[in-house]
């Protein structure tokens, strides 16, 4: 799952370093909206405004964890 999410982000946000430990600081609001839409479509999950937190978008691992939690619920 992590590699698939990495590929989605790299394909759609080529200027963002998805391996950054401070990914949230590199993302614009449009980037975050794009990520949420892409992951919602790919994994058939619902991501909302309450999911947009520095913790959930801090790193690629945190994004993967968020998607896993959403898929389990």
């Amino acid at each position: 799952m992590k590699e698939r999410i990495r590929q989605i982000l790299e394909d759609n946000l080529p200027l963002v370093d998805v391996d950054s430990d401070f990914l949230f600081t590199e993302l614009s609001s449009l980037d975050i909206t794009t990520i949420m839409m892409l992951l919602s479509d790919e994994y058939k999950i619902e991501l909302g405004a309450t999911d947009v937190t520095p913790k959930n978008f801090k790193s690629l691992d945190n994004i993967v964890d968020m998607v896993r939690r959403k898929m389990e619920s």
Side-chain angles (χ1 to χ4, degrees):
M1 176 185 286
K2 182 177 179 178
E3 288 308 312
R4 178 64 185 138
I5 291 175
R6 176 194 309 278
Q7 191 62 50
I8 290 169
L9 299 183
E10 288 176 346
D11 289 349
N12 291 280
L13 303 169
L15 301 178
V16 174
D17 177 12
V18 297
D19 292 314
S20 171
D21 289 333
F22 303 99
L23 181 59
F24 187 78
T25 62
E26 295 189 28
L27 299 172
S28 70
S29 58
L30 182 58
D31 293 338
I32 290 173
T33 301
T34 299
I35 291 169
M36 292 176 62
M37 289 175 37
L38 292 168
L39 295 179
S40 291
D41 288 346
E42 178 73 19
Y43 293 100
K44 308 300 183 229
I45 57 175
E46 188 173 322
L47 295 171
T50 58
D51 297 308
V52 181
T53 65
K55 180 182 177 189
N56 284 342
F57 286 84
K58 180 183 177 205
S59 68
L60 179 60
D61 287 334
N62 290 58
I63 292 172
V64 172
D65 290 343
M66 175 183 63
V67 171
R68 283 194 176 123
R69 282 192 312 274
K70 287 294 188 170
M71 289 176 67
E72 291 170 359
S73 62

